[in-house]
Amino acid sequence: MDALQAGGDRAQVELHCLQVRDGFRVPDRILSEHEQQRAAAFRSTEARHLFTAGRFLCRHVLGNRLGYTPQTLSIAMTPSGRPHLTDHPDIDFNLSHTRDRVALAIHYGGRIGIDIERLDAFSEQAALEIMPMILSEDELNQVNQLEPRSHRDIFLACWVKKEAALKCLGMGFRINPQSVTFALDNTTYGEYLQTPEGVIFTRSGRFGDVETGIFAWSIATSTPVPQPIWHHHTV
Ligand SMILES: CC(C)(COP(=O)(O)OP(=O)(O)OC[C@H]1O[C@@H](n2cnc3c(N)ncnc32)[C@H](O)[C@@H]1OP(=O)(O)O)[C@@H](O)C(=O)NCCC(=O)NCCS
């Protein structure tokens, strides 16, 4: 738990990743009544554990930064499912989970969206089948000019950027992902995207290792931010 409470100078954007070991259970008392009800409603045990681990992570980190105990931090949800802090409208956060990881992105003074995916989330064949449903025509043309063996990784890098951007806008896949076009490269440089709601800036990269998994990640923010540093935790 200490690692989640490490303070230090506050960056404009903070990224935290929690690796959840088998058997870890979030105590009910950390969660609000609404979160406990939501957790109980999940049919999939894995989905329930990832949801509660996400709330555990953001309640600990944000509670620590803002001076609350984890259970007294007040988190509400928009009708489209986006969690936010009721008492701190100037601080935004967003969550993403996949396999045994939960990622939390915090933006002090702007909006943020995050997505992480494990690089082997899809087989190369599955990636080929899904690509036309997610990529715009422009992006598909760009992919098709590249080496076939790089298609899956390029697609995943694009997928996380798009999902982060749509989550930053607060609508997720209620916005058609094909309506958003990025340049398809694997760089970690920031890119920006003009949307009807304003400009969205992105930062992307990878973390992890072959043994425990390599993850593609992207954040989208409403203001340009420096390349952020990841804080990794395990419970
Ligand atoms: C947002 C969305 C893209 C996330 O997809 P996902 O596969 O669950 O991906 P991730 O694990 O990366 O993200 C989940 C987290 O995104 C956040 N989130 C949920 N809805 C969000 C939204 N509209 N905007 C931004 N973030 C959102 C939540 O924190 C959620 O985690 P939690 O439920 O544990 O709190 C997807 O749920 C979506 O498009 N939702 C809006 C459309 C909708 O209402 N669909 C109904 C189901 S089809």
Side-chain angles (χ1 to χ4, degrees):
M1 225 47 280
D2 283 352
L4 290 184
Q5 294 179 356
D9 289 341
R10 185 189 276 177
Q12 198 182 348
V13 162
E14 273 188 60
L15 300 183
H16 294 263
C17 182
L18 182 67
Q19 181 172 8
V20 186
R21 290 207 190 96
D22 273 356
F24 174 75
R25 299 291 171 264
V26 174
D28 275 355
R29 65 185 159 74
I30 301 275
L31 306 176
S32 69
E33 211 169 296
H34 179 254
E35 287 165 345
Q36 289 179 41
Q37 284 165 7
R38 210 174 143 212
F42 280 102
R43 279 199 221 135
S44 143
T45 311
E46 192 193 345
R48 177 164 61 248
H49 289 159
L50 284 174
F51 166 71
T52 56
R55 290 301 192 268
F56 174 85
L57 179 64
C58 68
R59 285 183 170 282
H60 271 282
V61 175
L62 283 162
N64 174 260
R65 300 296 184 266
L66 301 172
Y68 296 88
T69 56
Q71 51 275 36
T72 57
L73 189 72
S74 179
I75 299 173
M77 247 168 40
T78 65
S80 71
R82 191 181 206 278
H84 60 97
L85 297 171
T86 42
D87 301 327
H88 297 271
D90 52 328
I91 300 171
D92 194 27
F93 75 94
N94 200 230
L95 293 161
S96 178
H97 19 61
T98 183
R99 306 276 178 93
D100 62 344
R101 308 293 163 109
V102 181
L104 163 71
I106 307 168
H107 192 183
Y108 298 95
R111 283 173 68 87
I112 195 161
I114 185 167
D115 191 40
I116 58 167
E117 298 289 345
R118 219 173 119 139
L119 276 197
D120 60 3
F122 310 114
S123 66
E124 288 183 13
Q125 184 54 37
L128 283 183
E129 285 163 19
I130 301 168
M131 266 189 320
M133 295 179 238
I134 304 289
L135 301 186
S136 66
E137 211 179 308
D138 234 36
E139 290 166 337
L140 260 184
N141 289 338
Q142 289 182 61
V143 172
N144 288 330
Q145 285 165 23
L146 301 168
E147 282 269 310
R149 67 192 161 129
S150 67
H151 285 188
R152 183 184 62 176
D153 286 5
I154 297 281
F155 169 56
L156 261 179
C158 184
W159 169 296
V160 291
K161 262 187 231 171
K162 283 191 184 220
E163 195 166 322
L166 300 183
K167 288 170 80 178
C168 180
L169 295 172
M171 296 305 287
F173 286 129
R174 285 181 183 187
I175 297 178
N176 179 356
Q178 292 169 318
S179 67
V180 176
T181 296
F182 281 104
L184 294 185
D185 55 21
N186 240 336
T187 61
T188 56
Y189 303 117
E191 285 183 281
Y192 71 91
L193 177 75
Q194 183 72 52
T195 73
E197 287 78 14
V199 179
I200 297 284
F201 301 86
T202 69
R203 291 277 178 186
S204 309
R206 288 180 182 183
F207 64 73
D209 54 49
V210 178
E211 210 175 298
T212 58
I214 299 175
F215 295 82
W217 63 270
S218 188
I219 57 162
T221 50
S222 57
T223 64
V225 297
Q227 186 73 1
I229 295 164
W230 277 93
H231 302 272
H232 291 276
H233 317 280
T234 304
V235 283

